[in-house]
Amino acid sequence: MKVALVTGAAKGLGLEWCHQLGLKGYKVILTARNFEQAQLAASELNQQDLVIYPKALDVANESEIEDLASWATELFGRVDLIVNNAGINPKDYADKSRMAKAFNLSQLDYQEMLQVIQINSLAPLMMVKHFLPLLKKSEKPLVVNISSWLSSVSQLSFGGHYGYVGSKNLLNVLNKSMALELKNEGIICVNVNPGWVKTQMGGQKATFTTEESVKNLIKNIVEKVSLEETGSFLNFDGSPHPW
């Protein structure tokens, strides 16, 4: 059985990734900052005869990433797929004064901006850094980073929203650089736009359910992407997304 790891997977898109990959026969490591939430989510999936392992992980804590990699090494010896789904969007903060510090130019705050960048842009690289030995042992290692259409410079049509827009755009270029470095290792690294999805972040007016979005991503990208496409920014249907 292939082994997959999904970050930020206690709910929403991440949870659906675990569900769909489990149905495809993967052993799935379901991670979330709160272990009880991860455990509850995994328990519900395991009742469907899936193979889901709950683990606590704060992707902003490198020592936790390193510990998780050590655990996965002992239990599985390899990882075939990493889905870097964990992310934050300041517009969802309950404290709107805090949101403004990563949203409006007049109120921008270094530390608030850096926290968004740490989680959305840098954490995916740190995941690959520590899981690299496990990815190298896979026959077709794949890293999928969840980006956003908002990361596209050419398609951006409004101002503000600096924390999220900037962090996802940075993720795009960092992933391309990582992909070029790892290409000779046979490791595919792609960023994906999952579409407008009905989640807490996307809202209920969105186009896709989480099930529809993840099924598209697995069918059109996970099962089809090639090493020649490493570093790409792809839509949910597998087509190139404008940078």
Side-chain angles (χ1 to χ4, degrees), residues 88-96 98-100 102 112 115-116:
I88 55 175
N89 190 334
K91 78 175 181 60
D92 297 326
Y93 292 166
D95 182 349
K96 297 309 175 185
R98 182 189 175 200
M99 177 202 80
E112 289 294 339
Q115 183 177 20
V116 180

Side-chain angles (χ1 to χ4, degrees), residues 13-72:
L13 201 64
L15 179 58
E16 190 59 34
W17 268 103
C18 295
H19 181 208
Q20 295 298 327
L21 290 171
L23 291 173
K24 290 285 186 179
Y26 282 78
K27 296 178 181 178
V28 183
I29 307 165
L30 183 160
T31 74
R33 282 181 295 176
N34 184 298
F35 178 67
E36 290 183 355
Q37 291 179 0
Q39 198 170 33
L40 178 62
S43 176
E44 293 176 357
L45 295 180
N46 283 326
Q47 290 176 15
Q48 302 176 41
D49 293 326
L50 307 182
V51 184
I52 313 293
Y53 298 80
K55 297 294 289 184
L57 177 65
D58 178 356
V59 296
N61 187 323
E62 186 173 4
S63 64
E64 289 191 17
I65 298 174
E66 189 172 12
D67 289 344
L68 182 64
S70 296
W71 171 84

Side-chain angles (χ1 to χ4, degrees), residues 194-199 202-210 212-213 216 236:
W196 188 16
V197 187
K198 294 177 182 178
T199 62
Q204 292 307 303
K205 294 182 180 180
T207 306
F208 296 120
T209 64
T210 55
E212 291 168 336
S213 175
N216 282 331
F236 53 86

Side-chain angles (χ1 to χ4, degrees), residues 157-197:
S157 58
F158 58 86
H161 210 350
Y162 296 100
Y164 190 77
V165 169
S167 67
K168 289 298 186 180
N169 183 264
L170 179 57
L171 174 63
N172 279 3
V173 70
L174 291 178
N175 178 71
K176 186 161 188 178
S177 185
M178 177 172 67
L180 292 171
E181 180 180 357
L182 299 180
K183 187 172 183 179
N184 288 339
E185 304 283 356
I187 298 171
I188 303 169
C189 304
V190 294
N191 280 14
V192 300
N193 166 37
W196 188 16
V197 187

